[in-house]
Amino acid sequence: MEQPNTPVQQTELPPGVVPDTGRVVSVQGPVVDVRFPEDEEAPAVYDCILTKTFDDRKITLQTAEHIGPGLVRCVSYNETLNIQLGAPCTNTRQPTAIPIGDGCFGRVMDASGRPLDNGGPYACPETVPIRKPVKQVSFDLKKKGREIPELLETGIKYIDLLYPMIKGSKTGVLGGAGCGKTVVILELINNIVKAHGGACVFTGIGERIREGNELYFELEEQHLLHKVMLAFGQMDQPPGSRDEVGNAGLTMAEYLVAKNKDVLLFMDNLYRFIQAGQEVSTLLGRVPSETGYQPTMSSEVNVVQERIRSVEGGGSITAMQAVYVPADDMTDPAVVAIFATLDGVIVLSRDLVQRGMYPAIDPLQSSCTNLDTNVVGRRHYEVSQQVIQHFNKHNGLKRIVAVIGLEELSKEDQKIYKRAEKLYNFMTQPFTVSEVFTGKKGEYVPLEDNIIGCERILRGDYDHMEAQDFYMIGKAPRI
């Protein structure tokens, strides 16, 4: 994805702005110090400053802090190679803003609103700041009772049954390379767009250029691109761009929510957002915390997460966030800070991938707070608990079976083991986006059919059938 040089949101300076009044006085990697005349109004924190390299490449700087009269320290959105000492700078007196509108569908931009897809200027009527105060929720003491959360049916059996998504919820997805994160994401986008008439925003934070390129063309092949907005802070971009691209994606999602749409927001990878913030914090000379992360890590994560919510009487933002776990250490402070804000965690298992069980969701490591009788109802809750119990029992028995064989188990244990095998196979599902690879037509499975199928397996209605009969099917077979 080639990056044009000109930021689209600053092609025309606001009225009253005098160009080239500041001067670059220091460049330390992506951190640039700029001095303005003391009699001139200094840039506010998060305001944009424009400058150029000697080869006429335009650079956008974001004010990070004031370090003296007329002297500000900035973080660059672009590579600072070839910035000269004393280069003229312009205070735009405006914060970072991106073009917003339906013209963003099918387009890719970075944190400052520059197109990354060589598609030219955006057909958008306005630009909107990417940072805004989180609207505080006020307590209505006259309003009694709680609002009933609205389930967001995805058509994916595992997610709907065991890790239900409600509108406005946040779910984390853990998985290594090749475990199927992208396929699950694409199927969710496909189902949300087609079944709910919703829209999607994909935010790549520290994404590899190769992955972003593959995702773009995959969406195009599946005819989903016209319903997806994309924002990327690519791996090769400075930390300032990677740190702010999450806010750009949230701004897009908030635009769609204001139009009463249910929005599916994907953020991949949220850990890299924290890493970018850590780089920025270190470059600005702030004292790190005991663990080496920035001292403001928790507040930075929470500011992003609090913008993900439903709007009363309007649309909702439902977030799926990929999270990298460094060295598989679930107690890492960054992982803990993220997990504290999530409603559910879905873990993808390499062992299940090797067994060909797609989606490769590990039901024993994953969890969800939305699985509650007040949210999903008594029947759904009880079926899901029985399914998890069977999976737990199967996990305890499989090593014994590997050593002494299934016939040596008690009749009751044999029955539970076989039903758990059927449940594992029933939870596999042909996806629409993987039809090319599997040769099987993808299926959207309604929640009711999902629950009925599990109930019949648990009751023993299918005890006469083999587990393989349930592999890669949609609805349960008729008795």
Side-chain angles (χ1 to χ4, degrees):
M1 296 181 185
E2 291 296 325
Q3 301 177 14
N5 291 331
T6 309
V8 295
Q9 84 278 19
Q10 266 106 13
T11 51
E12 293 183 11
L13 292 174
V17 171
V18 181
D20 300 342
T21 55
R23 288 288 182 271
V24 172
V25 295
S26 171
V27 180
Q28 301 175 61
V31 174
V32 181
D33 290 350
V34 181
R35 185 180 296 280
F36 289 91
E38 292 186 24
D39 59 345
E40 184 183 324
E41 184 181 343
V45 173
Y46 300 126
D47 273 3
C48 280
I49 296 171
L50 304 181
T51 187
K52 286 184 181 181
T53 61
F54 74 76
D55 54 353
D56 208 37
R57 185 167 52 89
K58 294 192 176 182
I59 303 292
T60 304
L61 311 173
Q62 180 178 261
T63 307
E65 56 187 29
H66 299 101
I67 54 177
L71 185 61
V72 292
R73 182 155 287 166
C74 310
V75 177
S76 177
Y77 281 133
N78 317 98
E79 178 58 55
T80 53
L81 181 70
N82 293 337
I83 292 183
Q84 290 177 297
L85 197 65
C89 301
T90 301
N91 174 17
T92 66
R93 300 184 184 177
Q94 289 188 342
T96 306
I98 60 171
I100 203 73
D102 289 347
C104 292
F105 280 115
R107 300 296 306 275
V108 189
M109 69 170 67
D110 71 359
S112 62
R114 297 183 309 159
L116 300 178
D117 54 6
N118 294 326
Y122 296 90
C124 296
E126 59 177 339
T127 58
V128 176
I130 63 172
R131 280 184 175 266
K132 57 185 71 174
V134 178
K135 187 178 178 183
Q136 298 299 314
V137 178
S138 58
F139 290 99
D140 188 352
L141 300 178
K142 295 178 182 178
K143 192 174 182 179
K144 296 183 179 179
R146 293 187 298 174
E147 287 187 19
I148 299 172
E150 188 177 351
L151 279 174
L152 184 68
E153 189 179 281
T154 65
I156 299 175
K157 288 184 280 191
Y158 252 132
I159 294 176
D160 285 343
L161 183 72
L162 301 180
Y163 322 107
M165 295 171 67
I166 63 173
K167 292 182 180 180
S169 67
K170 297 176 276 286
T171 303
V173 184
L174 306 181
C179 287
K181 286 198 300 289
T182 303
V183 176
V184 172
I185 284 170
L186 285 170
E187 187 70 8
L188 278 167
I189 292 173
N190 178 74
N191 292 353
I192 294 296
V193 167
K194 291 181 179 176
H196 299 280
C200 297
V201 175
F202 187 94
T203 310
I205 307 171
E207 272 288 295
R208 296 173 184 86
I209 299 171
R210 170 186 59 78
E211 291 177 352
N213 197 62
E214 288 173 1
L215 176 71
Y216 181 89
F217 288 109
E218 189 73 34
L219 290 168
E220 193 173 48
E221 285 176 20
Q222 298 297 332
H223 308 291
L224 297 172
L225 194 58
H226 68 288
K227 283 288 186 181
V228 184
M229 297 181 179
L230 299 104
F232 274 83
Q234 296 172 171
M235 189 176 274
D236 65 326
Q237 290 185 296
S241 184
R242 287 182 274 124
D243 189 33
E244 292 292 343
V245 73
N247 288 314
L250 284 164
T251 303
M252 294 177 180
E254 287 167 348
Y255 162 77
L256 295 169
V257 165
K259 299 181 72 176
N260 291 339
K261 286 186 177 290
D262 291 324
V263 184
L264 198 57
L265 171 66
F266 290 99
M267 304 178 82
D268 185 10
N269 186 302
L270 204 63
Y271 180 79
R272 291 181 190 142
F273 161 75
I274 291 178
Q275 278 187 315
Q278 182 184 18
E279 288 181 50
V280 170
S281 180
T282 304
L283 288 164
L284 294 175
R286 293 171 185 163
V287 179
S289 64
E290 228 175 71
T291 53
Y293 289 104
Q294 62 270 41
T296 55
M297 178 179 66
S298 293
S299 59
E300 287 174 13
V301 170
N302 289 320
V303 164
V304 168
Q305 299 287 8
E306 281 302 303
R307 289 178 69 179
I308 302 170
R309 59 171 65 171
S310 298
V311 178
E312 192 172 348
S316 63
I317 304 175
T318 307
M320 291 286 287
Q321 306 170 10
V323 182
Y324 166 70
V325 181
D328 293 332
D329 180 12
M330 300 296 282
T331 63
D332 185 272
V335 176
V336 172
I338 296 170
F339 280 10
T341 66
L342 299 177
D343 300 301
V345 177
I346 294 174
V347 179
L348 300 178
S349 162
R350 193 170 300 281
D351 178 56
L352 290 171
V353 170
Q354 291 167 350
R355 289 166 52 192
M357 311 293 275
Y358 295 103
I361 296 172
D362 189 331
L364 301 181
Q365 291 192 59
S366 308
S367 62
C368 183
T369 59
N370 296 330
L371 194 59
D372 184 278
T373 52
N374 295 319
V375 177
V376 300
R378 173 62 60 182
R379 177 184 170 221
H380 181 166
Y381 178 78
E382 289 180 351
V383 170
S384 66
Q385 292 306 301
Q386 288 181 58
V387 169
I388 291 170
Q389 286 167 14
H390 274 64
F391 286 154
N392 265 315
K393 188 70 172 175
H394 179 275
N395 190 52
L397 292 172
K398 67 180 181 182
R399 292 180 182 176
I400 299 171
V401 170
V403 175
I404 63 173
L406 182 60
E407 294 75 17
E408 298 299 319
L409 297 179
S410 67
K411 294 294 182 185
E412 185 64 26
D413 283 351
Q414 283 186 40
K415 185 170 65 177
I416 291 173
Y417 188 88
K418 289 179 178 178
R419 288 177 185 174
E421 286 279 306
K422 292 183 178 71
L423 286 167
Y424 266 117
N425 279 273
F426 179 61
M427 284 297 160
T428 62
Q429 184 174 346
F431 282 175
T432 303
V433 297
S434 59
E435 283 179 15
V436 179
F437 309 106
T438 63
K440 294 187 178 183
K441 183 174 174 56
E443 287 200 41
Y444 178 103
V445 182
L447 177 59
E448 181 63 23
D449 292 332
N450 189 359
I451 293 173
I452 289 171
C454 291
E455 282 177 332
R456 288 176 176 173
I457 293 172
L458 292 166
R459 278 201 309 262
D461 293 353
Y462 298 120
D463 281 357
H464 62 285
M465 297 175 69
E466 296 296 324
Q468 196 63 26
D469 297 333
F470 295 85
Y471 180 70
M472 280 293 175
I473 63 172
K475 300 177 185 177
R478 292 182 180 179
I479 300 172

